[in-house]
């Protein structure tokens, strides 16, 4: 009976995803430019979909999915709270830096500022004696760099 219930739950979740009620986690949309490997530039609101390893770029009337392997670089403006959060870390006010840096890491996933924010967040966590979280951020940086270096593989 337990297997039957698990199958029903799985089926309901799959139906919800297909109906658009439940969505796969994605980073928030950030306005910017994708520069493709052929140097074509696509401007609009950019979102990263980790599950499919692709960006979605939306403009007024068009939405386009772009696989990571076709992207040379992502250009987005510096998050408003980035400098203040970095200054907080550098000024040894680690607790004050954590929430803004966590927000940047989440909202700017695979969009240039996430790695820099994760670097300072790892330092803040380590200084706050949260070694496990510091290691998670360090591993995140390594994963992102690996994804960018080996775009065609399943890193």
């Amino acid at each position: 009976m337990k297997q039957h219930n698990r199958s029903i739950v799985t089926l309901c979740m799959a139906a919800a995803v297909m109906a658009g009620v439940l969505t796969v986690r994605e980073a928030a949309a950030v306005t910017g430019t994708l520069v493709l490997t052929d140097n074509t530039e696509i401007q609009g609101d950019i979102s990263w979909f980790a599950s499919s390893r692709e960006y979605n770029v939306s403009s007024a009337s068009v939405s386009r999915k772009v696989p990571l392997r076709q992207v040379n670089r992502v250009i987005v403006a510096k998050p408003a709270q980035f400098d203040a959060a970095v200054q907080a870390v550098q000024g040894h006010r680690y607790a004050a830096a954590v929430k803004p840096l966590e927000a940047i890491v989440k909202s700017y996933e695979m969009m240039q500022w996430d790695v820099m924010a994760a670097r300072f967040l790892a330092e803040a966590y380590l200084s706050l004696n949260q070694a496990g979280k510091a290691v998670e951020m360090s591993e995140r940086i390594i994963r992102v760099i690996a994804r960018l270096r080996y775009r065609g593989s399943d890193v």
Side-chain angles (χ1 to χ4, degrees):
M1 185 65 177
K2 286 183 181 181
Q3 180 64 30
H4 178 70
N5 288 342
R6 195 174 317 146
S7 296
I8 291 172
V9 169
T10 302
L11 182 61
C12 289
M13 287 179 67
V17 168
M18 290 172 71
V21 174
L22 193 64
T23 59
V24 176
R25 186 179 150 295
E26 68 174 276
V30 176
T31 302
T33 303
L34 286 184
V35 179
L36 305 184
T37 53
D38 67 358
N39 290 321
T40 301
E41 294 185 3
I42 306 171
Q43 297 180 349
D45 293 330
I46 304 169
S47 299
W48 167 251
F49 290 84
S51 61
S52 57
R53 298 172 46 96
E54 64 188 4
Y55 292 94
N56 186 63
V57 184
S58 300
S59 59
S61 60
V62 178
S63 183
R64 178 176 173 186
K65 293 187 184 302
V66 182
L68 176 62
R69 68 182 176 278
Q70 293 178 4
V71 177
N72 187 34
R73 100 180 155 231
V74 180
I75 304 169
V76 294
K78 184 189 309 182
Q81 68 275 35
F82 183 80
D83 287 337
V86 169
Q87 288 173 356
V89 171
Q90 292 171 338
H92 307 285
R93 298 183 320 279
Y94 305 110
V98 169
K99 284 201 185 291
L101 290 171
E102 287 175 338
I104 293 168
V105 167
K106 181 178 179 183
S107 297
Y108 286 77
E109 183 177 3
M110 293 297 287
M111 290 188 239
Q112 169 182 5
W113 296 99
D114 60 332
V115 171
M116 289 182 274
R119 175 260 183 257
F120 286 102
L121 187 54
E123 182 178 341
Y125 282 147
L126 194 57
S127 298
L128 293 168
N129 294 319
Q130 297 178 9
K133 288 184 175 182
V135 169
E136 286 176 28
M137 281 301 112
S138 299
E139 289 173 344
R140 181 187 185 108
I141 293 167
I142 292 166
R143 276 193 312 273
V144 169
I145 291 170
R147 274 186 192 147
L148 295 175
R149 176 167 267 162
Y150 304 107
R151 290 185 190 132
S153 64
D154 289 332
V155 176

